[in-house]
């Protein structure tokens, strides 16, 4: 019998598969996507947030556990399991050598607009290269991978995994039952399931269906099939269904797989207005890597789920440019017309903001003293008048990366049923990220969670498989001895 079945094909799944194989288990990976689309959302990532107490290879200075924890505590507003969060943080400090062993390469620390050289290790070639390295290593180790293999449901007995029921490519081969001694489910959230997203977000007071205007930044294959199945079978859950990693992305982004290049990162350098040309949140609240993932949700609550990020010439070159150019104009009035905004309302909003700016020593690398006074909402840092032509505007809409509703787990990543840990069913990655991320996000922490708990899940699944095998041998031996005694 197979030792460990891994369901999913992204970072957490491959980390689990590799660790289980290294522990001596036979491993099968079922990836619902075709080979060319393998890797889930992980192919769109770039970096991993890492704890370190001193400069380390590609990381500068220090980023100790307590600072990492405080950053996470701030962005989640306290909606996090401290025990599991700290476990992920500590595990992030010693995973890179293991990753390198499996072919992952890191690039030198970066300077510039993202403020991440101290906190985040960047993958050479990005997430696609990371996942290709893992798949190459899996092949060398004898891990079998089946693509276009969607698991419809899990067969469970008293919280114990028994078998997975799988459809083949295009559902043409009927259902196949796959038994294993242990299982790791790392099949992602449900963000690609547009019907489920519509159900969760519902209608707003204006009669709009907000999720109809969302884009899915990553894979189209995260349909939440096993999340729903486990919920229906009584698994304990954590997280709210409408909470997610949700970013303000270019309104022209495709429905799926737009990735990082569609993100609009100039928010902190200007102002953001809604369809009514009104500001609605502090654009300078904190460093962009800590706050960028709140803006999608903020825009989702605006009319028509659209907003406009406005900058002037002074901001050019200070942020990562998106793949699509913004609207460009020599006057604010002209920019308003190009964006389809009311000219008078837009110009007044910008003028009111300009008048409220108290410019000190502008420095985008620190929480500077450039702020507004007497303006609501305030802009607390990097507030400079928008007064230097040309002016630029980017229409943005919500872009969902992954959802936070998932399985409630413990430090072993075991799935729980009625508060009791399953002996052989484990969850990793986005399927259990809600234990750490109740809301909010900080750059790179999704890969921290996936890597840390994926590796743990692989080890625990291999242990469970070994224990199950030993138990069956013991039972068989006892039965044989009893038969001999009876004879």
């Amino acid at each position: 019998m197979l030792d460990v079945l891994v369901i999913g094909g992204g970072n957490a799944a491959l980390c689990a598969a590799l660790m289980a194989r290294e522990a001596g288990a036979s491993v099968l990976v079922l990836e619902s996507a075709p080979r060319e689309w393998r890797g889930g959302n992980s192919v769109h990532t770039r970096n991993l947030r890492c704890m370190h107490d001193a400069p380390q290879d590609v990381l500068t200075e220090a980023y100790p556990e307590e600072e990492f924890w405080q950053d996470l505590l701030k962005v989640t507003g306290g909606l996090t399991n401290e025990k599991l969060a700290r476990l992920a943080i500590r595990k992030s400090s010693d995973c890179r050598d293991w990753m390198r062993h499996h072919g992952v390469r890191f690039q030198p620390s970066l300077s510039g607009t993202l403020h991440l050289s101290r906190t985040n290790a960047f993958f050479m070639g990005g997430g696609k290269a990371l996942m290709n390295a893992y798949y190459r290593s899996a092949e060398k180790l004898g891990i079998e991978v089946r693509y276009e293999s969607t698991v419809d449901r899990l067969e469970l007995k008293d919280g114990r995994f028994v078998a997975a029921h799988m459809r083949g490519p295009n559902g043409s081969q009927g259902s196949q039952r796959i038994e294993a001694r242990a299982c790791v489910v790392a099949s992602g959230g449900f963000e690609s399931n547009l019907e489920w997203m519509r159900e969760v977000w519902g209608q707003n007071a204006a009669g709009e269906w907000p999720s109809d205007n969302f884009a899915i930044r990553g894979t189209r294959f995260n349909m939440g099939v096993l999340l729903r199945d486990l919920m229906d079978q009584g698994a304990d859950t954590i997280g709210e269904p409408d909470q997610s990693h949700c970013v303000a992305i270019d309104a022209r982004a495709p429905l799926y797989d737009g990735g990082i290049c569609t993100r609009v990162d100039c928010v902190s350098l200007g102002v953001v207005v809604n369809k009514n040309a009104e500001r609605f949140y502090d654009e300078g609240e904190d460093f962009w890597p800590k706050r960028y993932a709140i803006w999608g949700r903020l825009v989702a609550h605006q009319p028509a789920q659209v907003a406009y990020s406005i900058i002037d010439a002074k901001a050019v070159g200070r942020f990562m440019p998106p793949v699509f150019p913004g609207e460009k104009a020599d006057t604010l009035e002209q920019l308003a017309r190009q964006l389809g905004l009311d000219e008078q309302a837009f110009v007044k909003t910008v003028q009111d903001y300009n008048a409220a700016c108290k410019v000190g020593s502008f420095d985008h690398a620190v929480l500077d003293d450039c702020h507004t006074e007497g303006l609501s909402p305030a802009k607390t840092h990097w507030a400079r008048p928008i007064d230097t032509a040309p002016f630029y505007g980017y229409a943005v809409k919500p872009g969902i990366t992954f959802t936070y509703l998932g399985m409630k787990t413990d430090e072993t990543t075991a799935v729980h049923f009625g508060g009791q840990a399953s002996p052989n069913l484990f969850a990793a990655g986005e399927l259990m990220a809600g234990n750490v991320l109740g809301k909010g996000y900080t750059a790179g922490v999704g890969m921290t969670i996936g890597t840390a708990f994926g590796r743990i899940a692989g080890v625990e699944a291999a242990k469970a498989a070994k224990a199950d095998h030993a138990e069956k041998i013991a039972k068989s031996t006892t039965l044989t001895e009893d038969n001999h005694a009876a004879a």
Side-chain angles (χ1 to χ4, degrees):
M1 180 188 288
L2 175 70
D3 288 328
V4 176
L5 176 65
V6 177
I7 304 173
N11 172 60
L14 268 291
C15 284
L18 290 167
M19 290 294 284
R21 185 71 185 119
E22 288 177 340
S26 58
V27 181
L28 169 63
V29 174
L30 300 179
E31 162 67 296
S32 61
R35 188 181 189 281
E36 60 270 24
W37 288 100
R38 71 185 182 186
N41 289 335
S42 303
V43 300
H44 292 295
T45 63
R46 293 183 299 169
N47 57 76
L48 170 80
R49 184 166 287 252
C50 298
M51 163 195 157
H52 55 107
D53 292 323
Q56 283 185 359
D57 50 72
V58 296
L59 296 165
T60 62
E61 302 177 42
Y63 188 49
E65 176 181 340
E66 192 59 30
E67 184 180 356
F68 194 150
W69 162 245
Q70 290 299 326
D71 284 344
L72 192 57
L73 190 63
K74 183 175 182 179
V75 298
T76 60
L79 292 177
T80 180
N81 180 314
E82 182 173 357
K83 184 177 182 180
L84 296 185
R86 287 188 180 272
L87 177 57
I89 290 169
R90 289 192 293 271
K91 290 291 185 181
S92 73
S93 68
D94 61 3
C95 63
R96 292 195 308 287
D97 285 344
W98 179 85
M99 295 170 72
R100 287 189 180 94
H101 174 72
H102 288 288
V104 179
R105 297 292 177 262
F106 294 90
Q107 65 186 53
S109 60
L110 301 175
S111 59
T113 62
L114 290 177
H115 319 297
L116 293 174
S117 64
R118 187 172 65 88
T119 60
N120 291 45
F122 279 71
F123 315 130
M124 185 72 75
K128 184 71 171 178
L130 169 91
M131 293 311 304
N132 284 342
Y134 282 159
Y135 275 100
R136 283 193 298 269
S137 191
E139 183 178 1
K140 290 176 184 176
L141 290 173
I143 296 172
E144 182 184 357
V145 179
R146 297 184 193 174
Y147 299 105
E148 298 181 76
S149 299
T150 300
V151 176
D152 290 316
R153 64 185 178 90
L154 300 180
E155 187 178 326
L156 308 175
K157 184 177 181 180
D158 299 326
R160 174 181 284 273
F161 172 80
V162 177
H165 291 257
M166 182 197 80
R167 282 185 290 114
N170 302 316
S172 59
Q173 299 178 6
S175 182
Q176 180 181 356
R177 183 176 181 271
I178 300 176
E179 294 185 0
R181 294 188 172 93
C183 178
V184 177
V185 184
S187 52
F190 68 91
E191 65 277 359
S192 306
N193 188 328
L194 303 182
E195 291 183 6
W196 196 348
M197 292 293 290
R198 204 172 200 254
E199 173 189 322
V200 165
W201 280 83
Q203 275 185 294
N204 62 20
E208 301 167 333
W209 294 86
S211 70
D212 288 354
N213 294 320
F214 295 175
I216 311 307
R217 299 178 70 219
T219 180
R220 69 193 65 202
F221 298 100
N222 280 7
M223 299 295 288
V225 174
L226 291 187
L227 171 59
R228 179 80 81 175
D229 179 57
L230 284 166
M231 291 169 63
D232 289 345
Q233 295 198 60
D236 298 342
T237 62
I238 195 163
E240 296 298 324
D242 66 341
Q243 288 289 350
S244 63
H245 181 300
C246 186
V247 181
I249 64 172
D250 195 291
R252 296 162 289 185
L255 178 58
Y256 297 108
D257 282 298
I260 289 172
C261 66
T262 59
R263 206 170 74 195
V264 176
D265 283 354
C266 56
V267 166
S268 58
L269 292 162
V271 296
V272 179
V273 300
N274 61 19
K275 188 178 179 181
N276 300 324
E278 300 167 336
R279 290 178 61 247
F280 52 90
Y281 198 79
D282 179 359
E283 301 91 348
E285 183 178 38
D286 206 338
F287 291 120
W288 190 234
K290 297 180 183 179
R291 303 308 282 165
Y292 78 97
I294 70 168
W295 279 89
R297 187 175 181 84
L298 290 169
V299 174
H301 290 288
Q302 300 306 307
Q305 296 74 56
V306 67
Y308 305 86
S309 184
I310 311 298
I311 59 171
D312 68 3
K314 298 192 298 296
V316 174
R318 295 183 178 275
F319 63 98
M320 184 179 72
V323 66
F324 303 120
E327 294 291 341
K328 179 180 178 182
D330 292 326
T331 68
L332 292 172
E333 290 83 359
Q334 181 186 351
L335 184 62
R337 290 193 296 272
Q338 291 175 205
L339 294 174
L341 299 174
D342 182 90
E343 289 181 40
Q344 185 176 352
F346 177 72
V347 171
K348 183 178 187 305
T349 292
V350 175
Q351 288 178 341
D352 288 348
Y353 164 78
N354 289 349
C357 287
K358 303 300 177 185
V359 180
S361 300
F362 176 82
D363 187 345
H364 202 220
V366 301
L367 297 174
D368 69 10
D369 60 353
C370 297
H371 63 282
T372 60
E373 290 183 0
L375 188 69
S376 181
K379 184 174 181 181
T380 48
H381 302 288
W382 312 302
R384 293 193 294 178
I386 299 173
D387 57 9
T388 306
F391 304 99
Y392 300 83
Y394 297 86
V396 297
K397 66 180 178 182
I400 308 293
T401 311
F402 64 93
T403 47
Y404 291 173
L405 174 66
M407 296 295 99
K408 189 172 185 179
T409 62
D410 57 20
E411 63 276 11
T412 71
T413 77
V415 176
H416 282 60
F417 296 85
Q420 297 298 311
S422 171
N424 70 341
L425 179 63
F426 306 90
E430 294 171 7
L431 190 70
M432 50 73 65
N435 290 275
V436 178
L437 294 169
K439 68 174 184 178
Y441 193 76
T442 186
V445 77
M447 292 300 285
T448 302
I449 294 168
T451 302
F453 292 111
R455 293 180 69 202
I456 291 170
V459 171
E460 295 296 331
K463 284 182 186 177
K466 185 176 181 180
D468 178 75
H469 185 55
E471 182 182 350
K472 284 184 170 60
I473 290 176
K475 285 182 178 179
S476 176
T477 301
T478 300
L479 182 60
T480 301
E481 290 174 349
D482 289 346
N483 288 338
H484 287 162

